[in-house]
Amino acid sequence: MAQLRRTAVSSTEKKTQNPIAKAMSRARHSSFYHDLSLRGKNPLRLLGTPKDLWPGSVTAGTQMVAGKIMAGGHILENPKDDQNVWPGGDVWLDSNLSEHWQAYLHSFNWLRDLNQAVDRKGAQRRAEELVETWIDQNTQWGEISWRSDIVGERVTNWLIYAPLIMDSDDVLYRGRVLDILARSARHLMKMSSDMPDGPAGLKAIIGLAFSGLFIPFGDAWLKQSVGHLKFSLGKEILVDGGIRSRNPQELLHLFMNMVLLKDAFPGMGKTVPDELEKAVSRMASNLKSITLGDGKLPLFNGSCLQRNEDIPAFLIKAKEDATVTIVLEQCGYNRIEKGQTIIIEDVGPPAELEMSRSAHAGTLSFEMSHAKERIIVNLGQAAFNAQIDENIERFSRSTEAHSTLVIGGQNSSNIREDGLIGHGITTTDTSLYEENGHILIDAKHDGYKENGFSHRRLIYVDDKGEDIRGEDNVDLIGNQNNESGQSFNIFFHLHPNVSLVEGNDHIMLVTETGSKWGFYSSDAKRSISEGLYFGDAGKSLPCQSIKLSGKIESANTKVLWSLKLIDEN
């Protein structure tokens, strides 16, 4: 049995950072002395650039050349322009952007898309315009723009896409870019003794390592970053290759930059740290293990489908011969693959409080694909919708937005007002059994323990992947006064390409290619509801969900359900 634990968070705990400490940090970093400490030798050129392996979105890049800005497929609305065009550097002056949008913009992760634009000259003009106006507005410290992880990502992206942003005859502009790169590296160097935990710290360290390799006078930066990298990789990249934030997309993006970093060491005449080689290999296996039949990531804990992301193709480019692991005990995901059916189940608690900003309350939810088609899904991440409606983002992270059980309309883990995951699940237990090709996952969590309940889910798949049976159990626990007649709902969200046909004793699920699956259930009222799917980046698509409803009226309430392949085209 595998058990994962999360540090308990009090239901009354509100903030993770003392406001006085936050104010002191702001004063220290925005002071003249901090600014003075970032000055040093001005590099006249770069020693090289990391080799770019990863394609961005041609569509997003083309939109950006036209003056629009896209993230996760969403176009950033400009209230001052009906066409949502952001002329010049106006976007840097908008003080009403959500934190998600600010982080994305200041990280310059969008350069990957802009680099794919067909109009290369237009892309260069737009890139230089946004870089130069960013320098005009952000030389001084800003709470998000100079946050260590954002600085690390920005330095990484400026170095990778230096041919895009620095192919200019304007010597003054090139000098300003080089100066900010060096200042950023010095900032990361100063912050290196107090890096945040989780992926954020790794992003900062990776940026410092790239700086040490490609910016002149960076020997000290490289030495410091390698020391921190060796330590952090052992702490942050789990034994099974996952990361502590449990966000598959964040894992992928870290993997992509770590592959480039691994290739950069020998390219600059340096030895690749052994810890980096091993971490990349573990991450590759993890990514392969959580990939669904369409070659893309599942929708857990902040991930969203990006059409330009193809995990098998990425692993080939990374030259990683990854193996599949069924049980990912440390990061809390299990994989069942039988025939053409793949099921990925989330069997872990949310990430620890400080790393839970993108986490979802979706423990014991699962996603299912057959061949290349997704059938059962979670509803995805609507983070960039928050600029329009914060309630949409909160809903996309809720338990109800996942294919799992909900008691009393409550999340299995509380999503706090500050966006972090608070009290709720502290322990998950998982067992996996396999015999003669048949497989069973038995998992439970304690997210509803304050209400006196536990949720246990069993999922069985036959050796052909054509007969799937599930059992959801709600058990009374402890000596608490359980609320009699508490309601429950079990959701099975369907991909927008799946249509439903109701029968007398079952519901027929029909995929886009014509495959037919029968959904059967007992011990609960079955209904069909309409909703929105946020998994396809940039789109909010209508989808349908099967809902099983009932009341908890005994020590053990059990609901049985099954999916059986009836006709495969």
Side-chain angles (χ1 to χ4, degrees), residues 2 4 238-242 246 251 282-291 323-335 344-348 430 432:
L4 289 176
L238 305 175
V239 174
D240 60 19
R246 306 192 63 239
L251 170 68
R282 296 201 306 274
M283 294 167 81
S285 291
N286 190 290
L287 287 167
K288 188 170 184 178
S289 300
I290 60 174
T291 299
T323 57
V324 170
T325 303
I326 297 175
V327 181
L328 300 168
E329 288 189 6
Q330 288 74 36
C331 70
Y333 294 110
N334 279 352
R335 174 189 184 90
I344 309 293
E345 185 179 12
D346 178 353
V347 293
T430 310
L432 185 144

PDB file of all heavy atoms in Angstrom, residues 2 4 238-242 246 251 282-291 323-335 344-348 430 432:
ATOM      1  N   ALA A   2       0.512   2.185  -0.835  1.00  0.00           N
ATOM      2  CA  ALA A   2       1.217   3.465  -0.880  1.00  0.00           C
ATOM      3  C   ALA A   2       0.392   4.500  -0.138  1.00  0.00           C
ATOM      4  O   ALA A   2      -0.823   4.595  -0.322  1.00  0.00           O
ATOM      5  CB  ALA A   2       1.432   3.908  -2.327  1.00  0.00           C
ATOM      6  N   LEU A   4       0.299   8.671   0.908  1.00  0.00           N
ATOM      7  CA  LEU A   4       0.835  10.019   0.749  1.00  0.00           C
ATOM      8  C   LEU A   4       0.186  10.917   1.784  1.00  0.00           C
ATOM      9  O   LEU A   4      -1.013  10.818   2.056  1.00  0.00           O
ATOM     10  CB  LEU A   4       0.557  10.554  -0.655  1.00  0.00           C
ATOM     11  CG  LEU A   4       1.351   9.915  -1.796  1.00  0.00           C
ATOM     12  CD1 LEU A   4       0.895  10.469  -3.140  1.00  0.00           C
ATOM     13  CD2 LEU A   4       2.847  10.145  -1.617  1.00  0.00           C
ATOM     14  N   LEU A 238      11.091  14.208  -7.663  1.00  0.00           N
ATOM     15  CA  LEU A 238      10.846  13.031  -6.841  1.00  0.00           C
ATOM     16  C   LEU A 238      11.458  11.782  -7.465  1.00  0.00           C
ATOM     17  O   LEU A 238      11.862  11.782  -8.627  1.00  0.00           O
ATOM     18  CB  LEU A 238       9.341  12.858  -6.652  1.00  0.00           C
ATOM     19  CG  LEU A 238       8.608  14.089  -6.076  1.00  0.00           C
ATOM     20  CD1 LEU A 238       7.103  13.844  -6.052  1.00  0.00           C
ATOM     21  CD2 LEU A 238       9.131  14.428  -4.686  1.00  0.00           C
ATOM     22  N   VAL A 239      11.497  10.722  -6.682  1.00  0.00           N
ATOM     23  CA  VAL A 239      12.092   9.462  -7.146  1.00  0.00           C
ATOM     24  C   VAL A 239      11.419   8.966  -8.414  1.00  0.00           C
ATOM     25  O   VAL A 239      12.065   8.424  -9.316  1.00  0.00           O
ATOM     26  CB  VAL A 239      12.020   8.397  -6.032  1.00  0.00           C
ATOM     27  CG1 VAL A 239      12.505   7.043  -6.547  1.00  0.00           C
ATOM     28  CG2 VAL A 239      12.840   8.833  -4.822  1.00  0.00           C
ATOM     29  N   ASP A 240      10.090   9.185  -8.525  1.00  0.00           N
ATOM     30  CA  ASP A 240       9.367   8.720  -9.704  1.00  0.00           C
ATOM     31  C   ASP A 240       9.333   9.760 -10.823  1.00  0.00           C
ATOM     32  O   ASP A 240       8.649   9.589 -11.826  1.00  0.00           O
ATOM     33  CB  ASP A 240       7.943   8.288  -9.343  1.00  0.00           C
ATOM     34  CG  ASP A 240       7.110   9.419  -8.725  1.00  0.00           C
ATOM     35  OD1 ASP A 240       7.480  10.595  -8.890  1.00  0.00           O
ATOM     36  OD2 ASP A 240       6.086   9.121  -8.076  1.00  0.00           O
ATOM     37  N   GLY A 241      10.080  10.845 -10.657  1.00  0.00           N
ATOM     38  CA  GLY A 241      10.182  11.848 -11.720  1.00  0.00           C
ATOM     39  C   GLY A 241       9.148  12.946 -11.667  1.00  0.00           C
ATOM     40  O   GLY A 241       9.161  13.848 -12.512  1.00  0.00           O
ATOM     41  N   GLY A 242       8.239  12.906 -10.700  1.00  0.00           N
ATOM     42  CA  GLY A 242       7.249  13.969 -10.560  1.00  0.00           C
ATOM     43  C   GLY A 242       7.816  15.153  -9.807  1.00  0.00           C
ATOM     44  O   GLY A 242       8.972  15.154  -9.378  1.00  0.00           O
ATOM     45  N   ARG A 246       2.749  18.836  -8.291  1.00  0.00           N
ATOM     46  CA  ARG A 246       1.864  17.832  -8.896  1.00  0.00           C
ATOM     47  C   ARG A 246       1.165  18.352 -10.142  1.00  0.00           C
ATOM     48  O   ARG A 246       0.152  17.797 -10.561  1.00  0.00           O
ATOM     49  CB  ARG A 246       0.841  17.307  -7.879  1.00  0.00           C
ATOM     50  CG  ARG A 246       1.443  16.761  -6.591  1.00  0.00           C
ATOM     51  CD  ARG A 246       0.436  15.993  -5.749  1.00  0.00           C
ATOM     52  NE  ARG A 246      -0.030  14.820  -6.466  1.00  0.00           N
ATOM     53  CZ  ARG A 246      -1.294  14.597  -6.764  1.00  0.00           C
ATOM     54  NH1 ARG A 246      -2.239  15.458  -6.428  1.00  0.00           N
ATOM     55  NH2 ARG A 246      -1.651  13.510  -7.414  1.00  0.00           N
ATOM     56  N   LEU A 251       5.531  20.322 -14.794  1.00  0.00           N
ATOM     57  CA  LEU A 251       6.563  19.292 -14.943  1.00  0.00           C
ATOM     58  C   LEU A 251       7.116  19.304 -16.365  1.00  0.00           C
ATOM     59  O   LEU A 251       8.335  19.267 -16.576  1.00  0.00           O
ATOM     60  CB  LEU A 251       5.976  17.919 -14.614  1.00  0.00           C
ATOM     61  CG  LEU A 251       6.851  16.706 -14.957  1.00  0.00           C
ATOM     62  CD1 LEU A 251       8.076  16.668 -14.068  1.00  0.00           C
ATOM     63  CD2 LEU A 251       6.048  15.400 -14.819  1.00  0.00           C
ATOM     64  N   ARG A 282      14.407  10.708 -15.115  1.00  0.00           N
ATOM     65  CA  ARG A 282      13.249  10.372 -14.281  1.00  0.00           C
ATOM     66  C   ARG A 282      12.011  11.149 -14.734  1.00  0.00           C
ATOM     67  O   ARG A 282      10.900  10.610 -14.783  1.00  0.00           O
ATOM     68  CB  ARG A 282      13.531  10.686 -12.804  1.00  0.00           C
ATOM     69  CG  ARG A 282      14.654   9.865 -12.184  1.00  0.00           C
ATOM     70  CD  ARG A 282      14.554   9.832 -10.668  1.00  0.00           C
ATOM     71  NE  ARG A 282      14.491  11.143 -10.044  1.00  0.00           N
ATOM     72  CZ  ARG A 282      15.540  11.887  -9.716  1.00  0.00           C
ATOM     73  NH1 ARG A 282      16.765  11.452 -10.003  1.00  0.00           N
ATOM     74  NH2 ARG A 282      15.391  13.051  -9.122  1.00  0.00           N
ATOM     75  N   MET A 283      12.203  12.416 -15.059  1.00  0.00           N
ATOM     76  CA  MET A 283      11.075  13.246 -15.501  1.00  0.00           C
ATOM     77  C   MET A 283      10.494  12.729 -16.817  1.00  0.00           C
ATOM     78  O   MET A 283       9.273  12.736 -17.017  1.00  0.00           O
ATOM     79  CB  MET A 283      11.530  14.697 -15.656  1.00  0.00           C
ATOM     80  CG  MET A 283      11.919  15.353 -14.340  1.00  0.00           C
ATOM     81  SD  MET A 283      12.801  16.925 -14.569  1.00  0.00           S
ATOM     82  CE  MET A 283      11.418  18.040 -14.861  1.00  0.00           C
ATOM     83  N   ALA A 284      11.363  12.263 -17.705  1.00  0.00           N
ATOM     84  CA  ALA A 284      10.901  11.714 -18.988  1.00  0.00           C
ATOM     85  C   ALA A 284      10.003  10.499 -18.760  1.00  0.00           C
ATOM     86  O   ALA A 284       8.945  10.356 -19.393  1.00  0.00           O
ATOM     87  CB  ALA A 284      12.092  11.348 -19.861  1.00  0.00           C
ATOM     88  N   SER A 285      10.407   9.622 -17.848  1.00  0.00           N
ATOM     89  CA  SER A 285       9.586   8.433 -17.557  1.00  0.00           C
ATOM     90  C   SER A 285       8.251   8.817 -16.942  1.00  0.00           C
ATOM     91  O   SER A 285       7.216   8.218 -17.240  1.00  0.00           O
ATOM     92  CB  SER A 285      10.344   7.500 -16.612  1.00  0.00           C
ATOM     93  OG  SER A 285      11.455   6.929 -17.272  1.00  0.00           O
ATOM     94  N   ASN A 286       8.264   9.828 -16.071  1.00  0.00           N
ATOM     95  CA  ASN A 286       7.023  10.275 -15.453  1.00  0.00           C
ATOM     96  C   ASN A 286       6.068  10.832 -16.503  1.00  0.00           C
ATOM     97  O   ASN A 286       4.881  10.500 -16.526  1.00  0.00           O
ATOM     98  CB  ASN A 286       7.319  11.333 -14.390  1.00  0.00           C
ATOM     99  CG  ASN A 286       6.103  11.670 -13.543  1.00  0.00           C
ATOM    100  OD1 ASN A 286       5.161  12.284 -14.017  1.00  0.00           O
ATOM    101  ND2 ASN A 286       6.141  11.280 -12.281  1.00  0.00           N
ATOM    102  N   LEU A 287       6.594  11.673 -17.392  1.00  0.00           N
ATOM    103  CA  LEU A 287       5.764  12.262 -18.436  1.00  0.00           C
ATOM    104  C   LEU A 287       5.157  11.186 -19.341  1.00  0.00           C
ATOM    105  O   LEU A 287       3.979  11.253 -19.699  1.00  0.00           O
ATOM    106  CB  LEU A 287       6.579  13.252 -19.264  1.00  0.00           C
ATOM    107  CG  LEU A 287       6.906  14.583 -18.580  1.00  0.00           C
ATOM    108  CD1 LEU A 287       7.977  15.335 -19.352  1.00  0.00           C
ATOM    109  CD2 LEU A 287       5.649  15.442 -18.450  1.00  0.00           C
ATOM    110  N   LYS A 288       5.967  10.200 -19.693  1.00  0.00           N
ATOM    111  CA  LYS A 288       5.452   9.117 -20.533  1.00  0.00           C
ATOM    112  C   LYS A 288       4.376   8.324 -19.802  1.00  0.00           C
ATOM    113  O   LYS A 288       3.393   7.870 -20.413  1.00  0.00           O
ATOM    114  CB  LYS A 288       6.590   8.194 -20.957  1.00  0.00           C
ATOM    115  CG  LYS A 288       6.181   7.158 -21.994  1.00  0.00           C
ATOM    116  CD  LYS A 288       7.385   6.424 -22.556  1.00  0.00           C
ATOM    117  CE  LYS A 288       6.973   5.468 -23.665  1.00  0.00           C
ATOM    118  NZ  LYS A 288       8.147   4.773 -24.262  1.00  0.00           N
ATOM    119  N   SER A 289       4.523   8.198 -18.482  1.00  0.00           N
ATOM    120  CA  SER A 289       3.596   7.389 -17.691  1.00  0.00           C
ATOM    121  C   SER A 289       2.247   8.065 -17.489  1.00  0.00           C
ATOM    122  O   SER A 289       1.247   7.385 -17.242  1.00  0.00           O
ATOM    123  CB  SER A 289       4.213   7.064 -16.326  1.00  0.00           C
ATOM    124  OG  SER A 289       5.425   6.344 -16.482  1.00  0.00           O
ATOM    125  N   ILE A 290       2.193   9.395 -17.583  1.00  0.00           N
ATOM    126  CA  ILE A 290       0.914  10.079 -17.365  1.00  0.00           C
ATOM    127  C   ILE A 290       0.318  10.596 -18.677  1.00  0.00           C
ATOM    128  O   ILE A 290      -0.666  11.348 -18.663  1.00  0.00           O
ATOM    129  CB  ILE A 290       1.056  11.247 -16.358  1.00  0.00           C
ATOM    130  CG1 ILE A 290       2.057  12.299 -16.858  1.00  0.00           C
ATOM    131  CG2 ILE A 290       1.443  10.731 -14.986  1.00  0.00           C
ATOM    132  CD1 ILE A 290       2.121  13.531 -15.975  1.00  0.00           C
ATOM    133  N   THR A 291       0.890  10.191 -19.805  1.00  0.00           N
ATOM    134  CA  THR A 291       0.375  10.619 -21.101  1.00  0.00           C
ATOM    135  C   THR A 291      -0.812   9.758 -21.523  1.00  0.00           C
ATOM    136  O   THR A 291      -0.776   8.534 -21.403  1.00  0.00           O
ATOM    137  CB  THR A 291       1.489  10.526 -22.165  1.00  0.00           C
ATOM    138  OG1 THR A 291       2.565  11.385 -21.785  1.00  0.00           O
ATOM    139  CG2 THR A 291       0.977  10.953 -23.533  1.00  0.00           C
ATOM    140  N   THR A 323      10.729   4.845 -19.919  1.00  0.00           N
ATOM    141  CA  THR A 323       9.923   3.658 -19.645  1.00  0.00           C
ATOM    142  C   THR A 323       8.655   4.076 -18.898  1.00  0.00           C
ATOM    143  O   THR A 323       8.616   5.114 -18.234  1.00  0.00           O
ATOM    144  CB  THR A 323      10.703   2.649 -18.787  1.00  0.00           C
ATOM    145  OG1 THR A 323      11.128   3.287 -17.576  1.00  0.00           O
ATOM    146  CG2 THR A 323      11.924   2.145 -19.535  1.00  0.00           C
ATOM    147  N   VAL A 324       7.624   3.274 -19.010  1.00  0.00           N
ATOM    148  CA  VAL A 324       6.347   3.568 -18.362  1.00  0.00           C
ATOM    149  C   VAL A 324       6.313   2.941 -16.975  1.00  0.00           C
ATOM    150  O   VAL A 324       6.685   1.786 -16.794  1.00  0.00           O
ATOM    151  CB  VAL A 324       5.167   3.045 -19.209  1.00  0.00           C
ATOM    152  CG1 VAL A 324       3.867   3.123 -18.424  1.00  0.00           C
ATOM    153  CG2 VAL A 324       5.044   3.849 -20.493  1.00  0.00           C
ATOM    154  N   THR A 325       5.861   3.710 -15.998  1.00  0.00           N
ATOM    155  CA  THR A 325       5.675   3.230 -14.637  1.00  0.00           C
ATOM    156  C   THR A 325       4.190   3.244 -14.318  1.00  0.00           C
ATOM    157  O   THR A 325       3.514   4.257 -14.537  1.00  0.00           O
ATOM    158  CB  THR A 325       6.427   4.125 -13.628  1.00  0.00           C
ATOM    159  OG1 THR A 325       7.815   4.154 -13.981  1.00  0.00           O
ATOM    160  CG2 THR A 325       6.273   3.598 -12.212  1.00  0.00           C
ATOM    161  N   ILE A 326       3.665   2.142 -13.805  1.00  0.00           N
ATOM    162  CA  ILE A 326       2.233   2.054 -13.513  1.00  0.00           C
ATOM    163  C   ILE A 326       1.884   2.849 -12.262  1.00  0.00           C
ATOM    164  O   ILE A 326       0.922   3.616 -12.237  1.00  0.00           O
ATOM    165  CB  ILE A 326       1.798   0.587 -13.347  1.00  0.00           C
ATOM    166  CG1 ILE A 326       2.006  -0.188 -14.656  1.00  0.00           C
ATOM    167  CG2 ILE A 326       0.343   0.491 -12.903  1.00  0.00           C
ATOM    168  CD1 ILE A 326       1.713  -1.671 -14.538  1.00  0.00           C
ATOM    169  N   VAL A 327       2.667   2.667 -11.207  1.00  0.00           N
ATOM    170  CA  VAL A 327       2.396   3.320  -9.931  1.00  0.00           C
ATOM    171  C   VAL A 327       3.449   4.399  -9.691  1.00  0.00           C
ATOM    172  O   VAL A 327       4.626   4.109  -9.527  1.00  0.00           O
ATOM    173  CB  VAL A 327       2.416   2.309  -8.768  1.00  0.00           C
ATOM    174  CG1 VAL A 327       2.108   3.010  -7.449  1.00  0.00           C
ATOM    175  CG2 VAL A 327       1.425   1.190  -9.025  1.00  0.00           C
ATOM    176  N   LEU A 328       3.010   5.641  -9.693  1.00  0.00           N
ATOM    177  CA  LEU A 328       3.894   6.766  -9.406  1.00  0.00           C
ATOM    178  C   LEU A 328       3.636   7.174  -7.955  1.00  0.00           C
ATOM    179  O   LEU A 328       2.870   8.092  -7.666  1.00  0.00           O
ATOM    180  CB  LEU A 328       3.619   7.912 -10.377  1.00  0.00           C
ATOM    181  CG  LEU A 328       3.823   7.550 -11.861  1.00  0.00           C
ATOM    182  CD1 LEU A 328       3.249   8.637 -12.759  1.00  0.00           C
ATOM    183  CD2 LEU A 328       5.305   7.339 -12.170  1.00  0.00           C
ATOM    184  N   GLU A 329       4.265   6.451  -7.036  1.00  0.00           N
ATOM    185  CA  GLU A 329       3.918   6.552  -5.621  1.00  0.00           C
ATOM    186  C   GLU A 329       4.197   7.925  -5.030  1.00  0.00           C
ATOM    187  O   GLU A 329       3.442   8.413  -4.193  1.00  0.00           O
ATOM    188  CB  GLU A 329       4.688   5.492  -4.814  1.00  0.00           C
ATOM    189  CG  GLU A 329       4.198   4.077  -5.037  1.00  0.00           C
ATOM    190  CD  GLU A 329       4.828   3.101  -4.073  1.00  0.00           C
ATOM    191  OE1 GLU A 329       5.561   3.566  -3.169  1.00  0.00           O
ATOM    192  OE2 GLU A 329       4.594   1.891  -4.205  1.00  0.00           O
ATOM    193  N   GLN A 330       5.304   8.564  -5.435  1.00  0.00           N
ATOM    194  CA  GLN A 330       5.686   9.822  -4.803  1.00  0.00           C
ATOM    195  C   GLN A 330       4.824  10.999  -5.272  1.00  0.00           C
ATOM    196  O   GLN A 330       4.445  11.850  -4.480  1.00  0.00           O
ATOM    197  CB  GLN A 330       7.171  10.139  -5.058  1.00  0.00           C
ATOM    198  CG  GLN A 330       8.133   9.261  -4.289  1.00  0.00           C
ATOM    199  CD  GLN A 330       8.217   7.849  -4.854  1.00  0.00           C
ATOM    200  OE1 GLN A 330       8.141   7.657  -6.063  1.00  0.00           O
ATOM    201  NE2 GLN A 330       8.368   6.874  -3.983  1.00  0.00           N
ATOM    202  N   CYS A 331       4.513  11.042  -6.565  1.00  0.00           N
ATOM    203  CA  CYS A 331       3.742  12.190  -7.070  1.00  0.00           C
ATOM    204  C   CYS A 331       2.241  11.922  -7.066  1.00  0.00           C
ATOM    205  O   CYS A 331       1.446  12.833  -7.297  1.00  0.00           O
ATOM    206  CB  CYS A 331       4.207  12.594  -8.464  1.00  0.00           C
ATOM    207  SG  CYS A 331       3.797  11.431  -9.776  1.00  0.00           S
ATOM    208  N   GLY A 332       1.828  10.684  -6.818  1.00  0.00           N
ATOM    209  CA  GLY A 332       0.417  10.410  -6.586  1.00  0.00           C
ATOM    210  C   GLY A 332      -0.446  10.249  -7.816  1.00  0.00           C
ATOM    211  O   GLY A 332      -1.596  10.711  -7.838  1.00  0.00           O
ATOM    212  N   TYR A 333       0.070   9.564  -8.839  1.00  0.00           N
ATOM    213  CA  TYR A 333      -0.754   9.226 -10.005  1.00  0.00           C
ATOM    214  C   TYR A 333      -0.581   7.743 -10.303  1.00  0.00           C
ATOM    215  O   TYR A 333       0.507   7.192 -10.117  1.00  0.00           O
ATOM    216  CB  TYR A 333      -0.356  10.046 -11.239  1.00  0.00           C
ATOM    217  CG  TYR A 333      -0.638  11.522 -11.109  1.00  0.00           C
ATOM    218  CD1 TYR A 333       0.395  12.437 -10.979  1.00  0.00           C
ATOM    219  CD2 TYR A 333      -1.940  12.000 -11.107  1.00  0.00           C
ATOM    220  CE1 TYR A 333       0.146  13.797 -10.842  1.00  0.00           C
ATOM    221  CE2 TYR A 333      -2.205  13.358 -10.975  1.00  0.00           C
ATOM    222  CZ  TYR A 333      -1.161  14.253 -10.843  1.00  0.00           C
ATOM    223  OH  TYR A 333      -1.417  15.593 -10.705  1.00  0.00           O
ATOM    224  N   ASN A 334      -1.639   7.107 -10.763  1.00  0.00           N
ATOM    225  CA  ASN A 334      -1.574   5.715 -11.194  1.00  0.00           C
ATOM    226  C   ASN A 334      -2.031   5.611 -12.639  1.00  0.00           C
ATOM    227  O   ASN A 334      -2.903   6.361 -13.079  1.00  0.00           O
ATOM    228  CB  ASN A 334      -2.470   4.824 -10.322  1.00  0.00           C
ATOM    229  CG  ASN A 334      -1.806   4.452  -9.013  1.00  0.00           C
ATOM    230  OD1 ASN A 334      -0.630   4.716  -8.800  1.00  0.00           O
ATOM    231  ND2 ASN A 334      -2.567   3.852  -8.116  1.00  0.00           N
ATOM    232  N   ARG A 335      -1.434   4.675 -13.352  1.00  0.00           N
ATOM    233  CA  ARG A 335      -1.754   4.473 -14.762  1.00  0.00           C
ATOM    234  C   ARG A 335      -2.240   3.043 -14.977  1.00  0.00           C
ATOM    235  O   ARG A 335      -1.620   2.084 -14.487  1.00  0.00           O
ATOM    236  CB  ARG A 335      -0.505   4.708 -15.620  1.00  0.00           C
ATOM    237  CG  ARG A 335      -0.680   4.391 -17.122  1.00  0.00           C
ATOM    238  CD  ARG A 335       0.666   4.436 -17.831  1.00  0.00           C
ATOM    239  NE  ARG A 335       0.531   4.237 -19.270  1.00  0.00           N
ATOM    240  CZ  ARG A 335       0.350   5.212 -20.159  1.00  0.00           C
ATOM    241  NH1 ARG A 335       0.262   6.467 -19.741  1.00  0.00           N
ATOM    242  NH2 ARG A 335       0.240   4.955 -21.448  1.00  0.00           N
ATOM    243  N   ILE A 344      -5.744   7.339 -16.211  1.00  0.00           N
ATOM    244  CA  ILE A 344      -4.828   7.971 -15.266  1.00  0.00           C
ATOM    245  C   ILE A 344      -5.675   8.456 -14.100  1.00  0.00           C
ATOM    246  O   ILE A 344      -6.655   9.190 -14.292  1.00  0.00           O
ATOM    247  CB  ILE A 344      -4.077   9.171 -15.883  1.00  0.00           C
ATOM    248  CG1 ILE A 344      -3.428   8.794 -17.223  1.00  0.00           C
ATOM    249  CG2 ILE A 344      -3.041   9.707 -14.893  1.00  0.00           C
ATOM    250  CD1 ILE A 344      -2.306   7.796 -17.117  1.00  0.00           C
ATOM    251  N   GLU A 345      -5.318   8.048 -12.886  1.00  0.00           N
ATOM    252  CA  GLU A 345      -6.080   8.450 -11.694  1.00  0.00           C
ATOM    253  C   GLU A 345      -5.197   9.264 -10.760  1.00  0.00           C
ATOM    254  O   GLU A 345      -4.022   8.942 -10.539  1.00  0.00           O
ATOM    255  CB  GLU A 345      -6.615   7.226 -10.955  1.00  0.00           C
ATOM    256  CG  GLU A 345      -7.510   7.612  -9.776  1.00  0.00           C
ATOM    257  CD  GLU A 345      -8.078   6.416  -9.033  1.00  0.00           C
ATOM    258  OE1 GLU A 345      -7.605   5.274  -9.266  1.00  0.00           O
ATOM    259  OE2 GLU A 345      -8.999   6.614  -8.221  1.00  0.00           O
ATOM    260  N   ASP A 346      -5.770  10.318 -10.207  1.00  0.00           N
ATOM    261  CA  ASP A 346      -5.097  11.158  -9.213  1.00  0.00           C
ATOM    262  C   ASP A 346      -5.343  10.539  -7.842  1.00  0.00           C
ATOM    263  O   ASP A 346      -6.467  10.555  -7.341  1.00  0.00           O
ATOM    264  CB  ASP A 346      -5.674  12.580  -9.277  1.00  0.00           C
ATOM    265  CG  ASP A 346      -5.060  13.516  -8.237  1.00  0.00           C
ATOM    266  OD1 ASP A 346      -4.290  13.050  -7.378  1.00  0.00           O
ATOM    267  OD2 ASP A 346      -5.372  14.729  -8.294  1.00  0.00           O
ATOM    268  N   VAL A 347      -4.290   9.987  -7.244  1.00  0.00           N
ATOM    269  CA  VAL A 347      -4.434   9.318  -5.954  1.00  0.00           C
ATOM    270  C   VAL A 347      -3.595  10.006  -4.879  1.00  0.00           C
ATOM    271  O   VAL A 347      -3.228   9.392  -3.879  1.00  0.00           O
ATOM    272  CB  VAL A 347      -4.051   7.820  -6.062  1.00  0.00           C
ATOM    273  CG1 VAL A 347      -5.047   7.075  -6.934  1.00  0.00           C
ATOM    274  CG2 VAL A 347      -2.630   7.648  -6.603  1.00  0.00           C
ATOM    275  N   GLY A 348      -3.317  11.285  -5.072  1.00  0.00           N
ATOM    276  CA  GLY A 348      -2.526  12.024  -4.101  1.00  0.00           C
ATOM    277  C   GLY A 348      -3.282  13.218  -3.552  1.00  0.00           C
ATOM    278  O   GLY A 348      -4.221  13.717  -4.171  1.00  0.00           O
ATOM    279  N   THR A 430      -3.374   4.006  -1.245  1.00  0.00           N
ATOM    280  CA  THR A 430      -3.608   3.371  -2.540  1.00  0.00           C
ATOM    281  C   THR A 430      -2.985   1.982  -2.582  1.00  0.00           C
ATOM    282  O   THR A 430      -1.847   1.788  -2.152  1.00  0.00           O
ATOM    283  CB  THR A 430      -2.999   4.204  -3.690  1.00  0.00           C
ATOM    284  OG1 THR A 430      -3.418   5.554  -3.562  1.00  0.00           O
ATOM    285  CG2 THR A 430      -3.429   3.660  -5.038  1.00  0.00           C
ATOM    286  N   LEU A 432      -2.629  -1.421  -5.434  1.00  0.00           N
ATOM    287  CA  LEU A 432      -2.827  -1.863  -6.812  1.00  0.00           C
ATOM    288  C   LEU A 432      -2.646  -3.371  -6.874  1.00  0.00           C
ATOM    289  O   LEU A 432      -1.672  -3.916  -6.326  1.00  0.00           O
ATOM    290  CB  LEU A 432      -1.845  -1.153  -7.751  1.00  0.00           C
ATOM    291  CG  LEU A 432      -2.022  -1.425  -9.249  1.00  0.00           C
ATOM    292  CD1 LEU A 432      -1.726  -0.166 -10.064  1.00  0.00           C
ATOM    293  CD2 LEU A 432      -1.081  -2.543  -9.708  1.00  0.00           C
TER     294      LEU A 432
END
